[in-house]
Amino acid sequence: MATLAERLTEALRVKNLSNREVARALKKAGTPISHAYIGLLCNGTKVNPTLEQMEALARFLGVTVGWLAGEDVPRTPPAEHVRCSLTPEEEYQQQQVVDDLTALGVLNVAERMTGLSPLSIEAIATMVEAMRAAEQLDQGEDA
């Protein structure tokens, strides 16, 4: 089983991100974490980040908390998930859609969306809303 240090290091390498870039983005997103602490996580000196820190790192890196913690194995390696360059905000939006789909029980669809462009993800969300409207699944919610 892989360790947090190995998985975090791999995800940073695949995304070509420095500890400082990640720390800046997470601080901007509301979860302050220092680049030095990320370095300690990567080299295995620190092994027990808070759940908030793990969730923020996983969301930003486009992986699950379980994968980052070394608990599960993705169907495809992280390198397969990196198909285009996204801004941190676009990556966050992508992860939100994936999280929402996962919560609705459509994990396979959510996994297949990883790496799609923001435009494609928006198109999928629009199609899902159109299907829900066609099947009248949201009637009465606005009342």
Side-chain angles (χ1 to χ4, degrees):
M1 181 166 81
T3 66
L4 168 62
E6 293 167 335
R7 292 283 175 91
L8 181 56
T9 299
E10 179 183 355
L12 292 173
R13 179 188 53 76
V14 166
K15 296 267 187 175
N16 196 29
L17 291 168
S18 72
N19 297 350
R20 286 185 191 276
E21 291 171 312
V22 174
R24 272 193 297 265
L26 294 182
K27 181 179 180 183
K28 192 174 183 179
T31 305
I33 184 171
S34 73
H35 70 278
Y37 186 72
I38 294 171
L40 294 172
L41 291 172
C42 285
N43 69 29
T45 303
K46 295 288 184 181
V47 294
N48 196 19
T50 66
L51 180 58
E52 180 184 13
Q53 290 168 331
M54 284 291 285
E55 288 173 338
L57 284 165
R59 185 172 42 252
F60 180 75
L61 295 169
V63 298
T64 65
V65 171
W67 181 85
L68 193 57
E71 295 173 354
D72 63 347
V73 178
R75 291 185 182 164
T76 57
E80 294 293 319
H81 295 196
V82 182
R83 290 192 170 84
C84 60
S85 294
L86 302 176
T87 66
E89 178 61 29
E90 290 168 337
E91 288 186 8
Y92 178 75
Q93 289 172 345
Q94 177 177 338
Q95 189 59 44
Q96 287 301 114
V97 172
V98 170
D99 291 347
D100 291 344
L101 287 171
T102 301
L104 292 172
V106 288
L107 179 60
N108 186 44
V109 173
E111 288 174 342
R112 301 281 298 153
M113 288 178 58
T114 303
L116 293 177
S117 70
L119 182 61
S120 294
I121 291 171
E122 185 178 334
I124 292 168
T126 300
M127 286 189 293
V128 168
E129 290 305 315
M131 288 178 228
R132 290 187 64 79
E135 294 185 22
Q136 301 175 349
L137 294 175
D138 299 326
Q139 283 187 344
E141 286 187 10
D142 295 327

